Amino acid sequence: MFLYKIVQVTVNKRKKSDMATTTQAHFRLRNTTMDKLRLALDTSAHRSMAALADDILDRALDKMLTDKPDFDAAGALRGIRRDG
């Protein structure tokens, strides 16, 4: 019993350190965006749509911030009409 607990704690510690730090978030996405994510998930190695969306956002934001470090996202979105 004691050995089992030591092994279990060791396994749990490994799992926590192997995983990336994540934060729960809820986004409202357009239907067309969800359709594109579903299509991309079919050909992707990602296990979930959330993991795929996280990877896409991370890469796109890195590129955007590298290309335009002083980019004002709020300013860019002002005045844009959104449908839905």
Side-chain angles (χ1 to χ4, degrees):
M1 181 73 175
F2 182 70
L3 180 61
Y4 172 75
K5 286 187 179 186
I6 292 173
V7 171
Q8 190 65 33
V9 168
T10 304
V11 169
N12 287 341
K13 285 183 180 178
R14 281 193 201 128
K15 285 182 183 177
K16 288 181 183 177
S17 64
D18 290 344
M19 294 181 66
T21 304
T22 59
T23 302
Q24 293 273 337
H26 177 82
F27 295 103
R28 293 178 183 210
L29 301 174
R30 295 179 190 99
N31 288 336
T32 55
T33 304
M34 288 297 294
D35 293 340
K36 292 174 192 176
L37 275 171
R38 284 187 193 101
L39 287 173
L41 185 63
D42 289 341
T43 60
S44 170
H46 293 85
R47 293 183 184 180
S48 69
M49 194 177 301
L52 174 62
D54 178 57
D55 198 27
I56 291 169
L57 280 170
D58 187 50
R59 289 181 188 189
L61 289 170
D62 283 345
K63 183 179 184 315
M64 182 181 70
L65 293 172
T66 301
D67 294 348
K68 298 178 183 179
D70 56 340
F71 180 72
D72 177 23
L77 292 175
R78 273 190 216 110
I80 295 177
R81 274 188 78 200
R82 292 190 222 167
D83 298 329

